Amino acid sequence: MRLYRQTTSLLSGSYAWQHIRACQASLVQARTLIQPSFDYKFIRDNADQLLENAVNRNVHNAQPHRVGKLYDEYRALVTESNTHRSMLNDVSKKMATVAKTRSKAADFQSEMSKLREQAKQSKQTIQTIKDKLHNVEERLRYEAAKIPNLSHPDTPVGDESKARVVCVNGNLHTTDRVPLDDSGKLSDVEFQDHYDLALKLGIVDMEAGAKVAGSRFHYWRGAGALLELALVQYAMTRAVAAGFTPHITPDAARSSIIDACGFRPRSHSEEEQLGSEAKHVGEASQIYRMSPVAEESSKEHAADPLCLVATAEIPLVAMKQKQILDSTVLPMRLAGLSHCFRAEAGARGRDTRGIYRLHQFTKVELVTLAHPDNSESELFRLVEFQKSLFADLGLTFRVLQMPTFELGASAYQKFDIEAWMPGRKSWGEISSASNCTDYQARRLGIRVRTDGGSNSTMFVHTLNATAVAVPRLVVALLESFQRPGGHVVIPTVLRPWMMGMEALAPYK
């Protein structure tokens, strides 16, 4: 992990730092209002590696070599500006000396006139350089923001087909007939898919959802509503027992926060401008942007509009923005309940049938803020916790180490868990866990004090993992625990919240 302990100082010299602070006060960036702390020197010195990594992740708009050139240009401008400021200081001192002597009136006026002209030229030059610095710094941030996180050395290179199976739990995937009961005896009935079951059970109403909000919105009904609440209670109870602090988070966040977490909101016009490049810039197409009627014309809304969150990871991580944490509070483990909103652009076919892929759903998300030395072990801890959740539900599932194409912008390493869904006759993703190292922390300004002294800090590492994504788990539960008579057995661990029900019965 030593690779990630990158320097937090971009330039030495008091004026360089003062200039950056001054620019921060005046610069309104098009993309983010929170000033990220990119390590431009690291990017410049490792441009070849970063470019290869971006290509391996199917990101083709990242240009680390351009960042390196811009960084050198920026440093040269800072040096030039400092030189002219020093000259201006010398002129000011000479003017003070001449003003004190006042030897001959004619000589005095002539000398002062020359010095004033020199001072004027120096100020104009400094302002010109300042304008150039403003422009270069803006381009630096824009280009650096396009560079994805590095990838763990063990990560397979390529698309989803390159995912590596880590382990398989359960054996339902070897069965093609519905079990008669828990004994393992099989009937001669084939598995139904979740949506046919859900309609017969009367637990979901997609038709009403479509009438009210559009396609792929739904109502939970009766036992379906109880099942969602049971899954949330189950996940939260287990998370708290494992040391996570529970939260119910906002369902919205500013665009700058969404961006800092690695989800890049873009407007329709931006999508059109990017064209084929759009699919390589992140998960932008999944974000909903809010447009409050009362704020449509406000400058605040235009500069940093609200977006609906795609996951509680976003508000959980952002809670600690611009903070320096004491090392004793790490690892900080948080659990968040939220609605999640995803445009799901490009989804088609059977993935859009029923509740498998929705625009809005409920999820319990886990987030860990960790010391850089411990983030790798924390990731495996999260995965083990997820495995325990799904094993106790009785699901057949497998853990996959995801390849580079599937890492998004922020993940350094990612594991997915897929449940066997016998009605679909395929594996379906029910959760994921990622180590984002310092990608989000650099953009949100989350640091931890180190042992190097009171002023010594480093960026924390952030990790996220899904505990329960309700619709996907309901799909897996309905298809896995169906019985020949149309009943669906409720897992024992969920029954405390199901008002005495042990099974879902067909709706009459």
Side-chain angles (χ1 to χ4, degrees):
M1 305 306 287
R2 182 171 59 86
L3 184 63
Y4 287 95
R5 291 190 200 145
Q6 305 162 5
T7 177
T8 59
S9 175
L10 300 180
L11 300 168
S12 59
S14 60
Y15 173 68
W17 178 244
Q18 291 170 3
H19 173 77
I20 291 173
R21 297 298 291 270
C23 284
Q24 287 177 347
S26 61
L27 179 62
V28 177
Q29 283 186 282
R31 180 56 60 188
T32 178
L33 300 182
I34 297 177
Q35 302 302 329
S37 297
F38 295 123
D39 191 336
Y40 299 124
K41 182 178 184 299
F42 176 85
I43 295 173
R44 181 195 65 187
D45 295 345
N46 297 274
D48 290 341
Q49 177 192 0
L50 291 171
L51 181 59
E52 180 183 8
N53 175 69
V55 172
N56 286 343
R57 293 170 73 120
N58 201 31
V59 176
H60 300 291
N61 69 330
Q63 301 185 67
H65 291 90
R66 179 180 292 180
V67 173
K69 291 178 180 179
L70 287 169
Y71 175 56
D72 287 340
E73 183 180 349
Y74 181 88
R75 294 188 66 190
L77 286 169
V78 170
T79 299
E80 184 180 358
S81 180
N82 285 337
T83 298
H84 284 281
R85 284 186 175 275
S86 178
M87 292 169 58
L88 181 60
N89 288 337
D90 290 341
V91 171
S92 298
K93 290 177 182 178
K94 289 180 181 178
M95 290 176 70
T97 301
V98 171
K100 285 181 181 179
T101 57
R102 288 179 174 269
S103 55
K104 296 180 180 179
D107 292 343
F108 170 76
Q109 293 297 337
S110 175
E111 184 67 17
M112 288 297 287
S113 179
K114 290 179 181 179
L115 292 172
R116 289 192 188 98
E117 183 60 29
Q118 289 178 18
K120 179 181 178 181
Q121 291 178 359
S122 292
K123 289 178 181 178
Q124 290 175 342
T125 301
I126 291 169
Q127 183 58 49
T128 299
I129 295 172
K130 183 179 179 180
D131 293 340
K132 290 181 180 179
L133 276 168
H134 182 114
N135 179 265
V136 171
E137 187 176 31
E138 191 174 39
R139 286 187 291 150
L140 255 178
R141 289 199 182 102
Y142 175 76
E143 293 295 338
K146 295 190 291 185
I147 300 173
N149 202 349
L150 288 168
S151 307
H152 191 282
D154 290 343
T155 298
V157 177
D159 61 19
E160 190 176 7
S161 66
K162 304 298 183 182
R164 183 181 299 132
V165 178
V166 177
C167 66
V168 178
N169 184 88
N171 58 13
L172 189 62
H173 60 297
T174 64
T175 303
D176 61 358
R177 292 293 184 271
V178 175
L180 285 168
D181 49 40
D182 293 337
S183 68
K185 295 181 180 179
L186 302 180
S187 70
D188 58 358
V189 177
E190 293 187 354
F191 286 100
Q192 300 180 65
D193 96 323
H194 79 278
Y195 191 44
D196 288 336
L197 287 165
L199 291 177
K200 293 174 183 177
L201 295 169
I203 62 173
V204 68
D205 192 338
M206 298 294 292
E207 184 177 344
K211 289 178 179 177
V212 172
S215 64
R216 282 187 271 167
F217 285 91
H218 72 298
Y219 284 85
W220 288 120
R221 180 183 179 280
L226 294 180
L227 188 56
E228 166 158 319
L229 296 173
L231 284 166
V232 169
Q233 288 278 23
Y234 170 64
M236 275 296 192
T237 301
R238 293 286 292 268
V240 171
F244 292 84
T245 302
H247 296 76
I248 298 177
T249 72
D251 287 342
R254 291 291 178 187
S255 178
S256 58
I257 298 296
I258 304 282
D259 187 12
C261 289
F263 301 81
R264 301 196 57 152
R266 291 197 302 266
S267 66
H268 178 68
S269 60
E270 288 176 293
E271 294 278 352
E272 290 182 337
Q273 289 173 5
L274 286 166
S276 61
E277 182 184 317
K279 64 182 179 181
H280 305 307
V281 186
E283 299 185 54
S285 60
Q286 305 308 319
I287 299 299
Y288 280 105
R289 180 170 289 152
M290 296 172 65
S291 298
V293 174
E295 297 182 20
E296 284 178 349
S297 60
S298 72
K299 291 182 179 179
E300 179 188 11
H301 175 72
D304 199 15
L306 277 172
C307 297
L308 294 172
V309 299
T311 166
E313 165 198 345
I314 295 166
L316 284 176
V317 173
M319 269 200 313
K320 302 300 177 183
Q321 63 179 296
K322 300 180 183 178
Q323 292 187 31
I324 299 176
L325 307 175
D326 192 273
S327 60
T328 58
V329 305
L330 300 182
M332 182 180 292
R333 300 186 176 108
L334 313 171
L337 171 65
S338 77
H339 293 111
C340 303
F341 300 86
R342 301 186 182 183
E344 297 293 2
R348 56 179 59 89
R350 67 173 182 168
D351 280 1
T352 63
R353 174 173 165 78
I355 60 171
Y356 187 84
R357 194 177 295 277
L358 299 170
H359 291 313
Q360 176 187 336
F361 59 94
T362 301
K363 181 158 70 87
V364 176
E365 184 77 1
L366 308 175
V367 162
T368 300
L369 275 61
H371 190 283
D373 289 342
N374 303 324
S375 66
E376 194 159 344
S377 62
E378 284 294 322
L379 178 61
F380 293 118
R381 184 182 188 276
L382 286 169
V383 173
E384 288 302 312
F385 177 76
Q386 292 174 310
K387 288 166 62 178
S388 72
L389 283 179
F390 305 136
D392 289 348
L393 283 170
L395 295 173
T396 292
F397 63 87
R398 64 181 185 178
V399 180
L400 303 176
Q401 183 172 16
M402 299 309 290
T404 49
F405 277 29
E406 300 297 312
L407 297 182
S410 60
Y412 170 66
Q413 187 175 25
K414 179 183 178 185
F415 293 92
D416 277 3
I417 296 182
E418 295 181 338
W420 177 251
M421 299 175 179
R424 289 167 54 87
K425 297 181 174 58
S426 65
W427 299 94
E429 181 189 343
I430 56 173
S431 76
S432 65
S434 300
N435 182 0
C436 297
T437 61
D438 63 0
Y439 182 95
Q440 294 172 331
R442 282 184 170 275
R443 288 158 171 78
L444 289 167
I446 311 173
R447 299 173 181 263
V448 59
R449 291 187 180 88
T450 66
D451 297 332
S454 59
N455 295 322
S456 179
T457 65
M458 66 173 64
F459 290 101
V460 302
H461 282 190
T462 61
L463 302 94
N464 62 81
T466 306
V468 161
V470 171
R472 289 291 177 88
L473 270 185
V474 172
V475 171
L477 294 174
L478 292 180
E479 296 192 4
S480 298
F481 302 125
Q482 59 183 288
R483 294 294 179 258
H487 291 70
V488 174
V489 177
I490 298 170
T492 303
V493 293
L494 298 181
R495 293 178 188 175
W497 301 284
M498 290 299 296
M499 301 183 69
M501 283 185 282
E502 295 184 0
L504 304 177
Y507 180 68
K508 297 180 181 180

